Amino acid sequence: MKIVMHSYTMRDFPREKVFAYASACAYDGIELQRVHFKEDYLEVELPECLKLSAQHDLPIHCVDFTGDLTSDDSSVREESLRLIEKNIKVCGEHQIPIMNGFTGFLVADPDNWGANGSAIATDTHFDRAAEGLKHLATVAAQAKVTLTLEIHMNTIHDTVAATARLLDAVQSDHLLANPDPGNAFATSTAEKSPEALDQLRDRIGYFHLKNCRSIDGKFSYDGFLDDGDIEFAPFLEKLDALGYRGPVCIEYVGSGDAEASAKHDLPYLRSIMPGVAQ
């Protein structure tokens, strides 16, 4: 199982430093987040990033995408589809296997993630997202790219159940889920147990790891993987039981030392993966 570093971990560093550091830490690859490329110009930006990839022998396993497929404004939805479609084709041209992202955000209460996303989404929101994703999944199949929906607060795919609903509607091997226990931990409506992943059997295409702590009713992402409130070994065991053999990605979104986190978390994750097929 390959371990990838999320480039957002080192969001305050230029991408040259990100590739060099991830390679020095012996990651197996990188997820390229939008802080390190201009999404509107991926056809120019990705070849430049691939030069760094080759220089540091560090594959780009994933490129992020964003869009708003749920907006009431049809022109917003159409522009999102146009950009994502273009970038799927760019990633396909350069043999990037995964694009990870979001269908848009629905926010009623910025201070309560459980009150947003799927909690306030209507059938219309789900129908719009499914319609757009069906088109994008067809494009992705032609480009030999897999799209993953990150289970992320404030999106309509902020829970395993809501994500499964979209996957059921689209029915494509090129649209899969990206569970993230760290996001779920801070979203009151999201499933916290590894057993919830059973709902995504054969439909997990990627997996994020970030830790989170609950401190006096507030959520903190400043901890490393082994000093938060989430136990990751049961999630890895569940992935193995479900037959998942794809990459996993470590992401640090805290306000602490990003370099220390990236360096520390990789050997820790490897240390709790002995029972997971390599």
Side-chain angles (χ1 to χ4, degrees):
M1 184 176 286
K2 295 184 182 301
I3 302 176
V4 176
M5 190 188 85
H6 201 298
S7 82
Y8 189 76
T9 296
M10 297 182 65
R11 56 198 171 276
D12 296 325
F13 296 86
R15 61 194 184 199
E16 293 81 3
K17 168 73 172 180
V18 175
F19 277 87
Y21 193 74
S23 177
C25 290
Y27 279 87
D28 298 311
I30 199 162
E31 175 176 343
L32 197 60
Q33 209 268 355
R34 296 173 310 282
V35 293
H36 291 116
F37 69 92
K38 298 180 180 67
E39 196 166 17
D40 288 344
Y41 303 99
L42 185 63
E43 66 274 18
V44 176
E45 297 274 277
L46 184 55
E48 292 300 312
C49 292
L50 286 167
K51 291 179 183 177
L52 293 171
S53 171
Q55 178 183 341
H56 295 286
D57 193 24
L58 187 75
I60 300 174
H61 279 287
C62 179
V63 170
D64 285 7
F65 72 87
T66 56
D68 188 346
L69 306 184
T70 62
S71 174
D72 292 335
D73 187 336
S74 61
S75 65
V76 171
R77 300 198 304 271
E78 290 166 5
E79 178 59 22
S80 291
L81 286 171
R82 184 203 63 78
L83 179 60
I84 299 170
E85 178 177 343
K86 176 177 74 74
N87 287 345
I88 289 172
K89 292 176 180 177
V90 172
C91 285
E93 178 185 350
H94 294 285
Q95 293 81 53
I96 303 298
I98 299 171
M99 293 186 73
N100 176 64
F102 316 103
T103 61
F105 296 86
L106 295 173
V107 179
D109 182 355
D111 297 321
N112 178 9
W113 291 329
N116 304 318
S118 65
I120 59 172
T122 64
D123 288 345
T124 298
H125 289 119
F126 277 98
D127 290 344
R128 288 171 181 165
E131 180 182 4
L133 289 168
K134 284 179 182 177
H135 171 70
L136 295 174
T138 299
V139 176
Q142 294 169 346
K144 298 182 180 179
V145 173
T146 296
L147 305 179
T148 60
L149 295 178
E150 181 174 344
I151 298 180
H152 194 288
M153 58 281 285
N154 298 338
T155 69
I156 66 171
H157 41 89
D158 55 1
T159 70
V160 168
T163 304
R165 176 177 174 177
L166 285 172
L167 298 183
D168 287 343
V170 175
Q171 291 289 318
S172 171
D173 291 340
H174 288 268
L175 180 71
L176 301 174
N178 173 15
D180 187 321
N183 291 341
F185 185 83
T187 304
S188 61
T189 50
E191 305 89 344
K192 310 299 190 290
S193 169
E195 303 308 313
L197 298 182
D198 287 335
Q199 298 177 60
L200 299 172
R201 182 179 299 273
D202 300 324
R203 298 186 295 179
I204 298 174
Y206 199 34
F207 194 83
H208 274 184
L209 301 100
K210 65 170 74 75
N211 219 326
C212 187
R213 289 178 287 188
S214 179
I215 303 174
D216 298 327
K218 302 289 185 180
F219 295 105
S220 169
Y221 287 94
D222 286 345
F224 296 169
L225 285 185
D226 57 341
D227 60 9
D229 288 343
I230 303 170
E231 294 293 334
F232 287 104
F235 283 96
L236 296 172
E237 291 166 4
K238 173 55 72 173
L239 286 177
D240 186 47
L242 291 173
Y244 179 72
R245 300 294 182 265
V248 297
C249 176
I250 299 173
E251 179 184 14
Y252 180 70
V253 299
S255 59
D257 188 334
E259 290 180 276
S261 172
K263 185 176 182 179
H264 171 89
D265 285 349
L266 178 59
Y268 168 72
L269 181 55
R270 285 183 173 147
S271 77
I272 62 172
M273 293 175 65
V276 178
Q278 303 293 312

